[in-house]
Amino acid sequence: QVPLVESGGGLVQPGGSLRLSCAASGFSVDSRAIIWFRQAPGKEREGVSCIEISDTNTRYADSVKGRFTISRDNGKNTVYLQMNSLKPEDTAVYYCAADYYCSAMAVTNRAGWGQGTQVIVSS
């Protein structure tokens, strides 16, 4: 099975909201740092947010801080990214990855990316 499956993307207007899901199989999301990345058209992949084993340890890219919130539901073995006040600049394919520390949010050159989920913010 695919270890991480992203979902929840879609088309929204600026100012709208989406909640992305990162569902894990084969391991527990509370045993890893889970990181959200995104890649906008014509741009490099960038780290967006991360949650460590402790839910209190989270990180956000400056571009999304205050608008996005990462959380984890251990019972569902899923990590979420709540995205509010969406901007056209948030348009991208969003991916999640498992690592060990949220400092790895800066590590964008990875193998084994999933399909991601596409977010389009447009009027």
Side-chain angles (χ1 to χ4, degrees):
Q1 293 184 320
V2 178
L4 294 171
V5 178
E6 304 93 342
S7 63
L11 173 64
V12 297
Q13 295 184 357
S17 298
L18 285 172
R19 189 179 74 163
L20 306 184
S21 297
C22 175
S25 60
F27 72 98
S28 298
V29 295
D30 63 355
S31 69
R32 298 287 190 276
I34 305 297
I35 309 170
W36 283 99
F37 298 86
R38 69 184 181 186
Q39 187 165 22
K43 298 183 179 179
E44 296 183 352
R45 202 184 308 264
E46 64 175 341
V48 176
S49 184
C50 177
I51 186 167
E52 291 188 332
I53 295 174
S54 172
D55 288 353
T56 61
N57 295 331
T58 59
R59 292 189 182 185
Y60 300 91
D62 289 342
S63 59
V64 308
K65 192 174 298 182
R67 299 187 297 118
F68 291 10
T69 303
I70 191 168
S71 63
R72 171 166 37 215
D73 186 330
N74 294 332
K76 296 181 179 179
N77 207 27
T78 298
V79 170
Y80 301 99
L81 185 66
Q82 178 67 46
M83 306 187 298
N84 299 326
S85 302
L86 283 163
K87 304 175 180 180
E89 308 93 90
D90 297 317
T91 296
V93 178
Y94 285 71
Y95 306 86
C96 59
D99 213 299
Y100 295 93
Y101 301 96
C102 279
S103 59
M105 195 170 70
V107 181
T108 60
N109 186 14
R110 297 172 178 266
W113 294 106
Q115 294 186 11
T117 185
Q118 187 172 25
V119 172
I120 300 175
V121 184
S122 176
S123 60

